[in-house]
Structure formats: structure tokens, C-alpha cells
Amino acid sequence: MQTSPHSPWNVCHLQLAELGLLPEGEADPLLVAEKLSQLAIAANDADKLAAAQSPWHAVGNPAAALEHLGDLLRTRPDMRVTGRIVSILEPSLRRDAIVGVIVDPATALAAAAAASSSGSSPSPPAAAAAAALASGVYHGCLFLVPLDPRLPQGVLTPAVVAELPEALRDEAFAVDVTSRTFVACRITDWPASSPLPLVEVRQSLGPSGDIDAGTAALLTAEGVKDQDFPLEVYACLPKVPWSMPPAEVATRADFTSWRIFSIDPITARDLDDALSIQPLPGGRWRMGVHIADVAAFVKPNTPLDDEAQIRGTSVYLVQKVIPMLPRLLCEQLCSLQPGDLRFAFSIVWEMGHDGHIYKEWAGRSIINSCAKLAYPMVQQIIEGCFDPNRWQTQLYNGATWEQVIFDSLALHGIASHLRAARFANGSLRLNNTKLHFALDTGGNPVSASPYVQSEANHLVEEFMLLANMRVAAKIAWAFPKHALLRRHPPPSDRKLAEFKAAAEALGVSVDVSTAAALQRSLTALSKACRDQATQEVMTLLATKPMLLAQYFCTNEAPDPATWRHYALATDLYTHFTSPIRRYPDVIVHRLLQAALDLSKQLQEPDNADLVTAPMAEHAELPASAPPADTATAATTAAANASDAVPDASSSSAGSLAAEAAASQRLDAKARSGPSSSTADSDTLWEQAEADDAVAAPREAASEALLKQHQLPDVITMAKIAKHSNETKLSARMVSDGSLRLYLCIMLKQAPKVSWAVVTSVGGDKFFTVYLPEFGCE
């Protein structure tokens, strides 16, 4: 709806108020429309009646329209903004890949009518299609019914039907609807006079109920490439056997003597990350996060880089992985396999036992992992029941199990403090159940069980989150208009209110005012309620109002306040730790190296002494923090409030993180106006003035380094962010669809009666249930 302050709608609105038919200032659009309709009927004025009943109103200018929409939404938060299509700026790629089944027109329209809510009239397109069917317009046609109910049905004209295989034509009129063939279609035309688009069949994907056909349908519908890599991509790969070029080795830090190991799922082959920890004199620790240096192999503006950007991400299905990179890279040369020299991008911190960072170093390195550990192994180490004889895991480089166990426990101790501080600082975690399937030799599912997140998972997660946050601060400081970051917008107030109402209907009180308040409510529920199903339902309902996190180029969002990540409760975040399977991480690696080069040109101290400092001969394990959901955690975090951003004087990289955070606080201060003078605010303003003095030369150096590292311009960076959001969502849809496919196949083979919790009721036509055993609605 668009309108100006002087539109007829507003004039009539004022007249109604003057006549006393509306309360002063009444802005309810439904009430206004009803009153206008009554006046028109009384005056026997058909034109005014049509105008009153129309949802569309005159528009003055965009600013006025937005202002009026804001007023309406504040008045009626229960309503949604609607609009009508006036033109297509860019055809969707989904027009070329609509997956569904072919049926006769009568069956298709009957299915559409049955899908509508009880008591409601059919949608205008459905009503128009039904009228066209009755008039004989669709004689000789067949209909495509998409698997995605959000997409429109399509019409196969008699000419297209004539070209179909006879089996597909016969199947369209078959009484048995449980056995259909999935087909991929494309929209050829959508005449303005037609309620439905015209389609043609591109490909037959196989029978419903078949794993391969179902998987093909998922991939085709989401546009995920499952083909082999082009020859020009393979031409970019290094020759095998491969060895490290001496010139490249000379530029990297040598960490091959460090005891480094990875912790991953048991079946993982693309090992992106590894960890190390060493005791330092004085009770501190040298903590290292080592990430596969994919950018060393994927050079900018090459066919390999182009293909990785197009794919955007690896796609994980139940039975296989569709990689973003050729397997020579993702499973061998880039993967941090134990016993092999590998290029890495490392971040090393001098840390206290509580996770406080005193120094930071970042740079390209060479590592040699001593072990590939699995989450269950490390969990057993944490629980004190680990027996290496039960695991067929080989250690390399002279490492012993005693050393690996000590390192794992030290990592766990520090990670527990990081996690406690993060949740005390307002972080939100919604753990929805995810299934794990056991397959027989034929690849068919035989059983399913929930995948349980353990303390070992949390251990790795905390150090990856910390690395991502630190890198985000670094690149945002170096390239404030050019950084590729990741933000998470807060959920809509309307949907949060709906969640709060739904929770109260279930007898549960929740506070949705902030992410931290919601986390506290869910934590309190988990303690007070012994019913696991209720806890899972509440987590599911809490997830629904949440918006998707998004990649973005900082040039798109000049206000740093919009960069914030809601769920992580942090001002700066990016993706750095998974470059084997995510293309944005590759871009961030290039940005980080350019930022490090900028620091070097500005003669910032690099803390090189941190990576050469001798280890302590003896050390005691850091004590674990209380669980992140206890009151003690909040006290711990408050006592270490500087953990997230250390003092500016603590280190070079640390000061960069502080400057990035300080710049956002200064922006907020400037927007809100001057406040009472404090030592902290005076220091920040002095820092801002100092930044201004070096801003010009730093900006010039930044631009030169962006070109040197062949990083894309801001327009291209924004397009990469947009495409990465799309490919990540498609990959998620395919992964979730794969889980549902295998669950359906398993239950079809072995039906099961399961308890369910009713989560919503849709009139007298349908209701929604949650199945705790399978973690799905």
C-alpha cells in the first residue's frame, strides 16, 4: 500500500473523523475501509464503494509512502505489508527448474482447493483457473503440481503434452497418486491473461519414493550443481605429487614442531581447522587456531576461483557431500591431514586460563598435524573415560596420548570460560534436533537417532567463534568500506509476540525483550521442566521468528550499528574458519592477508615474539568454568568484561580489534550527542583524533593493497555476498530436504507409531504436530 498525506484516502479519513464516525486520530485501515464502504453504500455511489473496498491507494512520493506504511504497521502489528507485482526486474533462476509431478487439470485444481484453509474462498488465481477449466480452456492440457507449495502450478499445452513419453501421459490420469515421476520443468511464458504460467518438461528425474530420484529433485529445485568440475578448473590444480615451493616456505612461520591436532566428526575428510595449546611461563597459554590456507591454491580471477564462487559452498546430504572444490584440494592438499605438511593461516594468542587475550599474532604458516581426533574421542577425554586402545587413531610426529589428553583438557578448560562469558554477554543458542541415519550396505536408512552436541563440539566452536570475531575486527579496521562480514538482524517484533503468545498458550512464560532474556527463559525452562518434548517444542517455536544471518559488504551498510550479530551478541563477525567448504571464507583470507600487510606498512608491532617464546616446563590444567547457563557464569564474565576486546595497549592485533569496536561506540556517541565527560569517553575521542591524523595515508595504502591482492571492488563484493547468501540457503534447503527424504523412506519401509505434541491448529482443516523422536514438525 502506498499513499501520500494528501491522497483521497487520507482526505476521507479526516472527513470521517470530523463527522464523528471515527475517533480522533483513528488509523486502523480496516476500520477506515469499513466506514468508507458504509458511506458509499448509503450514498448509492458505486465508484466510491469500489474505491473504498480497494486495498490500493494513491501514492505521493516514496518517503510519504514509507511513513504511512510505518504508521499502519504500528497501528496494526498483526497485519502484514502486501503488494502487487508491477514489473519483473530480473527473472528468477527458479523459472528454469520447477520440480513436481504431472497430473490432469481436474486433479490439480481439486488438490489446490483442498489445500486452502477451511471456510476460505480460493485465491484469485485458483478461482480464475477453475473458471477456465469449466469453460474448456484447458482441454488437452496437463498440469504441473510443484513439490514446493509456494510455487504456482503450471500448464502443459497440448503441443507440449504430445511430446511427452506415453508413460508420463498415462501416469497423469492414474488413480494411484502414491507413485509418480518427478519432472523438472521450466516456465516458457506467463501471458498476462493467464492465471497460471505455461511450462515445458526439461528432464525426468525418476520415481517418487526413490532415494536417487528424491535427491535429484532436491538438487534440481535448488539449482545445486552436482556435475564434475570443468576441464579448465582441473587445469588450475597443482601437479601431483605436490611439494611446497621453497619460495613460499620462506615467507611462512614454521609451526611444524608444534603439537597440533584436528577435532572433527568421525567421517570428516575435509579438515578445515586444527588447534594447538602450549603452556607459557607465568601461568599463561599459547593458544593456536590453524585454518587450511585454501587461498594459497585458489588464486583470484582463475577458472578455479570462478567455479568456487559459483558453487559458493559444499552441500552435505545424508549419503554424500557435493564439494565446492575438487577433491584433490578439499580432501588432500588443503585438508589438514595428520602427518602431512600443510599450508595454514594461523591465529595465535597469549591467553590466561580464563580466556583473556594478552597478545595476538596472525599470519600464514606451515603445520604438521599430529592427529585427527573425533568428537566422541575428545568427549571421552573430558569425561575421563578415554581408552586409546578402543580407537584406531594413529599419532604422528612423536606425540603421545598423554600429551594429547593434556592438551585436550587444557583446551576444554579455556573454552568453557569463553563459552560462559559469551552467554553472560547476551549470546543466544537454539539447538534444534538434527537426525543421524544408519545406512545398510545398499545405502538405505535402517535407523535414526538425534545428533547430540557435546562439550567436545563446544570446545571447537568457541575457538572458531573467537577467531571469526577477531578476524572481523581486523578486516573491518583495515577496510571499513570493503570488508566482507556476516550479520544477524534481530527477529521481527510481530513474530516474537506470536511466539510469546504461543508459549503462554502452552503454559510457559518467556521474556523476548533481548537475545539474552530469551536465552535465560529457555535455560530456566530446561531446569524447571523435565519434559524433553516441551523443551524441544519451545526451542522450535523460538527459532521461527529468527531471521537468517547474511553476508554483506560493509559499503552496503554505512552505519556500523547494522553490522551486529543478534544471536552471537557481537558487533563484528565474519566467516574465516571453513574455507574448504565456504567461498566467503576464501575472500576473508585474502582480506586478512591484505590487512596484515597494511599493519606492516604502518609499522604496527606484529608480536612475533609470541610465536618464538619458550614453553613452560610444567603447567597445571586450567579449571573449567561453571556451565554457561548458571549465575556463576555471569559473575565470571562480569569480572572479565575485557575478554571480548582487550586493552588497546595489549597488542597490535588486539589494538585493531579495540579500534574497530571503539569506532562503533564513537558512531553511537555522535548520533546520541555529547554526554558527561568520563576518562573512557575522553580516551575514545583522543583515539578518534589520532585516527584522523593517519586516515589519509592509511586509506591510500588500503586501496593499493586491495588491488595488489586482486580483491573485488565494493560492487562486486556486494554481489559475492548476495550470491553467497543464496547458495548457503540453497545448501541448507537441500541438506534439510535430504534428512526429510531419508526419514520418509525409513518410515515407509518400517511404519512407526510415535508420540507427538500439537503446536498449532489451523481451523477445522489441519493441525501441526512436533515429533520429539525425530525432531521435526
Side-chain angles (χ1 to χ4, degrees), residues 477 595-607 652 701:
W477 170 85
L596 294 173
D597 290 347
L598 176 63
S599 293
K600 186 176 181 180
Q601 288 189 15
L602 297 178
Q603 298 182 344
E604 295 273 355
D606 62 2
N607 293 321
S652 163

Side-chain angles (χ1 to χ4, degrees), residues 7-29:
S7 71
W9 185 84
N10 273 320
V11 172
C12 292
H13 169 276
L14 295 175
Q15 292 174 349
L16 289 174
E18 291 174 357
L19 293 172
L21 297 176
L22 284 179
E24 183 71 25
E26 176 63 62
D28 188 322

Side-chain angles (χ1 to χ4, degrees), residues 448-592:
S449 59
Y451 180 80
V452 179
Q453 288 270 332
S454 66
E455 292 175 282
N457 297 85
H458 300 161
L459 183 162
V460 176
E461 179 186 36
E462 291 308 316
F463 290 116
M464 297 304 111
L465 289 175
L466 181 60
N468 287 335
M469 293 176 191
R470 304 293 290 195
V471 170
K474 185 87 169 182
I475 63 176
W477 170 85
F479 311 110
K481 295 182 179 180
H482 220 105
L484 182 63
L485 301 181
R486 189 164 174 81
R487 61 183 170 188
H488 183 209
S492 72
D493 293 337
R494 179 180 61 82
K495 290 189 176 181
L496 277 180
E498 291 176 357
F499 160 62
K500 182 178 177 66
E504 291 174 350
L506 293 173
V508 179
S509 176
V510 293
D511 183 353
V512 298
S513 58
T514 64
L518 176 56
Q519 183 68 56
R520 286 193 297 270
S521 294
L522 295 176
T523 300
L525 173 65
S526 67
K527 292 181 178 180
C529 179
R530 296 183 179 182
D531 184 7
Q532 183 66 26
T534 300
Q535 296 179 34
E536 292 180 14
V537 167
M538 292 308 304
T539 301
L540 174 70
L541 294 177
T543 302
K544 292 186 176 184
M546 299 299 157
L547 301 177
L548 295 176
Q550 299 281 322
Y551 297 109
F552 71 102
C553 175
T554 47
N555 187 66
E556 299 177 88
D559 184 2
T562 63
W563 300 358
R564 186 169 176 79
H565 197 291
Y566 172 82
L568 294 176
T570 183
D571 292 331
L572 295 166
Y573 191 69
T574 193
H575 274 166
F576 163 77
T577 54
S578 296
I580 289 178
R581 61 183 178 88
R582 290 189 306 230
Y583 185 75
D585 300 53
V586 179
I587 293 289
V588 169
H589 276 228
R590 295 170 184 164
L591 283 167
L592 178 58

Side-chain angles (χ1 to χ4, degrees), residues 110-124:
S116 63
S117 299
S118 175
S120 65
S121 58
S123 64

